[in-house]
Amino acid sequence: MLFRSQDSDHKATGEMGNNPQIDYGRSDFMQKYVIKMSGIYELPFGQGKMFLNGNKWWENELGGWRFSGLLGIRAGMPFNTTAADNSNTGGGIQNRATSTCNGNSAAPNFVPKASNALSPYFNTSCYSVPTTNVFGNERRNDLNGPRNTNLDLAAFKEFDIWENLKFQWRTDAFDSLNHPLPGMPNNSCCSGTFGEITSKGNARSIQLSAKILW
């Protein structure tokens, strides 16, 4: 999907107002793939089930428990670098860096920092601040952000109280694998943390809840 950023007056708000073609590129929300899978499973114990049918104690302890999961795999969001505006064309310029190679691919002289496998996330040696009276030549949204993978799990059971009145106990584990969900890398060329990922999403959290169903 291609997109050109515009303001309310329908004038391009990118690098060059009278040449909007240089601001064509991927939309900010474009992802190559978004995969979601979910499922629910009930333990095969208790009345009418494969195992422990008729054993009241085990049936009460293990019967009726259900487990659910939600797996989400999302491709990285597109982005581009930003750079100081030395074009001398006035204010309101969203300048990008000067690009000499593909920042998504490692060049022979590209060595990631050992302190953090995601830092720098892209090949920062491909970019430099544009010289005086020159716009950056990097294409809009040419870089790919980090992929995010998340698995949420839940366990719950309903207990009969009276006729159609039931009590449900539920435990939810969000980000159950406790994988760090990386934020976007620093895209400001060419700062000291250029290309580094300095933020991440929340860690695993567990929620306990109870419901009355009727």
Side-chain angles (χ1 to χ4, degrees), residues 7 12 23 40-41 82 115 120 130 165 183 196:
D7 60 17
D23 284 313
I40 186 170
Y41 175 76
T82 61
S115 61
L165 188 64
E196 296 184 13

Side-chain angles (χ1 to χ4, degrees), residues 80 103 167 209:
N80 53 255
F167 170 80
S209 59

Side-chain angles (χ1 to χ4, degrees), residues 5-140:
S5 58
Q6 293 183 332
D7 60 17
S8 59
D9 294 327
H10 305 289
K11 296 178 181 178
T13 58
E15 288 188 314
M16 192 172 178
N18 61 358
N19 186 9
Q21 282 73 20
I22 65 175
D23 284 313
Y24 275 94
R26 291 186 295 174
S27 298
D28 292 339
F29 53 84
M30 180 180 179
Q31 293 174 285
K32 288 185 177 181
Y33 56 85
V34 176
I35 301 173
K36 291 185 177 181
M37 294 183 288
S38 62
I40 186 170
Y41 175 76
E42 182 175 354
L43 292 180
F45 304 124
Q47 185 177 2
K49 302 297 191 300
M50 185 178 298
F51 303 107
L52 304 179
N53 189 352
N55 188 318
K56 292 298 182 181
W57 191 87
W58 283 107
E59 181 178 313
N60 291 334
E61 293 298 317
L62 298 178
W65 278 104
R66 284 180 267 181
F67 298 86
S68 65
L70 174 61
L71 174 65
I73 304 174
R74 299 172 178 269
M77 303 296 289
F79 71 101
N80 53 255
T81 67
T82 61
D85 177 25
N86 298 319
S87 64
N88 290 325
T89 57
I93 302 300
Q94 298 176 359
N95 201 22
R96 296 187 286 273
T98 295
S99 174
T100 57
C101 58
N102 181 4
N104 291 305
S105 301
N109 62 345
F110 176 61
V111 180
K113 295 181 181 179
S115 61
N116 187 342
L118 297 180
S119 175
Y121 178 75
F122 57 91
N123 191 345
T124 56
S125 65
C126 290
Y127 303 97
S128 61
V129 177
T131 57
T132 305
N133 300 327
V134 173
F135 288 112
N137 66 350
E138 180 193 4
R139 291 186 59 84
R140 183 180 188 274

